[in-house]
Structures are given as C-alpha cells and as structure tokens.
Amino acid sequence: MTSSSSGFVAALTAAAVATVGFLTYQASANVPPELSHPQALSPSDVSPVKAPRDRRHPAALPSGSGSGERVVYSVDDDRVWLVGPGHKILRTFEVTPGTVDPRPGTYTVTSRSSTVTGTDGTPIEHVVRFTSVQGVAVGFSAARNGSTPAPDPHRRTGGIRESRKDGDAMWEFATIGRKVVVIR
C-alpha cells in the first residue's frame, strides 16, 4: 500500500470513529427519562435539604451525603467529592455546571464516552452520564482544551465541566454503575 492510500484509510477510519462517537452521544442524550435509570434511594440515604457544611473547611465532605463509595455533587456549591472505601475522600474539586441541574437524590452512572462533542459544540472527553432532565443528558466532562467557561444561559446543557486533571480522576473512579449522590 502506498503512503497516500494508507493516509486515506487512516482519515476514513478517524472519520468513522468520530461519527460513531457523535451518534453514541446523541443517542444517550435523547434517552427518555423513564429509561435513564436514575435510582432514588430512601429519603434517609440522602438529606433532602442542604447538607450542613463545615464553615472552616469548605472542601470537607458534607454530612448527609450518602454512604459507601460514591461521587457526591453539590449543586449549590459547584463541588464534587470522590469518596472511596471507608468514607475516605480521594479527591474534591470545583466544577462549572451546565444550565440544567439534576434533582437531589441518588443515581448511578449509566453511560460513558471517552471523547465526543458537547451540546455547546465544544470537544469534550471523559464524559460520565448519570441522569437526564427533560430530555437533557446530565453528566461530568472535561473540555479537551481545558476550558471551563460559564454556559450560555439561553441553551439547555447538562454538562458539568471539570478540569482535564479532575476529568481524568472522575473517568477512573466513576465507572458504569457507580453511585452518584446529588445534594443541595
């Protein structure tokens, strides 16, 4: 095979992989809510009101944020905690939410994509989805260029953006079926 034909084959392969990734994202973004499998646990598992915070240590894991290994996401504080065995905080970081917030409750990771284009047109990686709200997929992701800009308030977006480094940690931790606890 000549080098020009191998380059052509590589370009076709790359285009096919990009198309499949985009179609996968589009399909998951349009899953009806009744099929997205959010699994709310009993009210005693997650505090229905804003979980108490430690004012001296704002990055401390709030009480009332569930139990076991889990991702905890505070909608009000725009912060995530990755909680490992023994209630140990493996990592905590700030995020930039989309315009659509998930309701407080307990969910599980339902799908993941290594690279796709976000609903805002930004190339993103390490997408970890856990619910949908009125047809908008909600999950964590990192922009491939490392940016975390505020979302356009006129668009319905469910992407919760994190830095690339934090996105790497989320990708490693939040596999399919991992518990995600959303608190106020």
Side-chain angles (χ1 to χ4, degrees):
M1 192 179 322
T2 67
S3 65
S4 65
S5 58
S6 64
F8 178 73
V9 170
L12 280 178
T13 302
V17 168
T19 301
V20 169
F22 176 75
L23 292 174
T24 301
Y25 174 75
Q26 289 298 322
S28 68
N30 293 307
V31 172
E34 64 271 16
L35 297 178
S36 65
H37 305 296
Q39 299 176 359
L41 298 178
S42 68
S44 64
D45 290 325
V46 180
S47 175
V49 296
K50 185 169 174 101
R53 303 300 197 266
D54 182 339
R55 293 180 196 262
R56 290 176 297 163
H57 304 99
L61 181 66
S63 61
S65 62
S67 62
E69 294 181 41
R70 66 201 180 279
V71 175
V72 176
Y73 169 49
S74 170
V75 173
D76 289 352
D77 296 332
D78 298 330
R79 179 169 286 280
V80 168
W81 293 263
L82 304 180
V83 184
H87 209 64
K88 180 180 179 191
I89 298 172
L90 304 175
R91 186 182 197 91
T92 184
F93 49 91
E94 292 181 334
V95 294
T96 303
T99 59
V100 176
D101 286 331
R103 294 182 65 189
T106 301
Y107 306 87
T108 58
V109 173
T110 55
S111 71
R112 297 170 17 118
S113 298
S114 59
T115 58
V116 295
T117 300
T119 54
D120 61 357
T122 302
I124 57 177
E125 65 185 4
H126 297 154
V127 181
V128 175
R129 297 176 204 87
F130 61 91
T131 192
S132 67
V133 176
Q134 298 176 351
V136 176
V138 177
F140 305 101
S141 64
R144 295 191 69 197
N145 67 5
S147 67
T148 56
D152 178 348
H154 304 293
R155 296 185 76 171
R156 291 177 41 82
T157 59
I160 303 164
R161 293 285 165 82
E162 52 207 0
S163 73
R164 290 188 82 187
K165 192 163 81 170
D166 294 331
D168 290 344
M170 177 71 76
W171 183 254
E172 291 297 317
F173 184 76
T175 56
I176 298 291
R178 173 72 71 195
K179 187 174 11 175
V180 177
V181 177
V182 177
I183 61 173
R184 284 269 159 233

